[in-house]
Amino acid sequence: MAPRIAFKTKGRIRLLDLADVLAVQAEGNYVSLRHRPNAYLVHESLSSIAEKLKPYGFIRIHRSVLVNILAVEEVQPLPTGEYKLRVKGGKEYLVTRTYKHNLRDLAQLWVGSERPCGYQ
């Protein structure tokens, strides 16, 4: 059975497979769980949910964004030293220099190219 996340929304408790959550984005005092085709607002801090989701393959790529590594389809280096990351469905996120070291966790095996940021 795939791991699931439970959260309260509109007076009900909703259950989602974590594999279906593409990203988590901070929105004020809430986080938005980006789930195709919907997004769900949950009253929790990004730091708190980042700790809870880390064992399930979510990495921080920006001070306000976590992504599910299984949803990442492409990473593109930018001249600024940052990266652009595309997830399933086409949504793109900026990976800031502060968090670019987390990109090494995107794959267990890197072939034919260097890992992002020069990690070996």
Side-chain angles (χ1 to χ4, degrees):
M1 184 160 145
R4 300 196 308 170
I5 186 169
F7 57 93
K8 197 172 190 177
T9 182
K10 298 179 183 173
R12 299 175 184 225
I13 296 174
R14 179 89 186 187
L15 298 162
L16 297 178
D17 287 342
L18 277 176
D20 295 334
V21 177
L22 305 175
V24 180
Q25 194 160 1
E27 294 194 19
N29 293 332
Y30 292 82
V31 292
S32 174
L33 300 173
R34 305 291 178 166
H35 176 267
R36 280 191 305 188
N38 305 312
Y40 299 96
L41 280 179
V42 178
H43 193 268
E44 185 149 0
S45 73
L46 189 68
S47 295
S48 171
I49 203 159
E51 282 302 310
K52 292 175 184 176
L53 294 179
K54 189 175 183 177
Y56 301 101
F58 284 77
I59 60 170
R60 196 159 193 169
I61 60 163
H62 187 278
R63 68 181 180 90
S64 63
V65 179
L66 308 171
V67 294
N68 182 342
I69 61 173
L70 296 177
V72 176
E73 293 185 328
E74 184 178 276
V75 178
Q76 177 185 354
L78 300 174
T80 60
E82 299 171 323
Y83 289 81
K84 189 175 7 175
L85 183 143
R86 184 171 42 85
V87 296
K88 292 175 184 172
K91 176 87 170 133
E92 292 183 341
Y93 295 97
L94 182 67
V95 181
T96 58
R97 291 187 301 253
T98 303
Y99 296 102
K100 70 182 182 179
H101 65 277
N102 291 338
L103 292 178
R104 68 177 178 257
D105 296 331
L106 289 176
Q108 292 73 40
L109 180 63
W110 293 81
V111 295
S113 65
E114 289 185 28
R115 287 182 181 201
C117 322
Y119 285 95
Q120 299 302 319

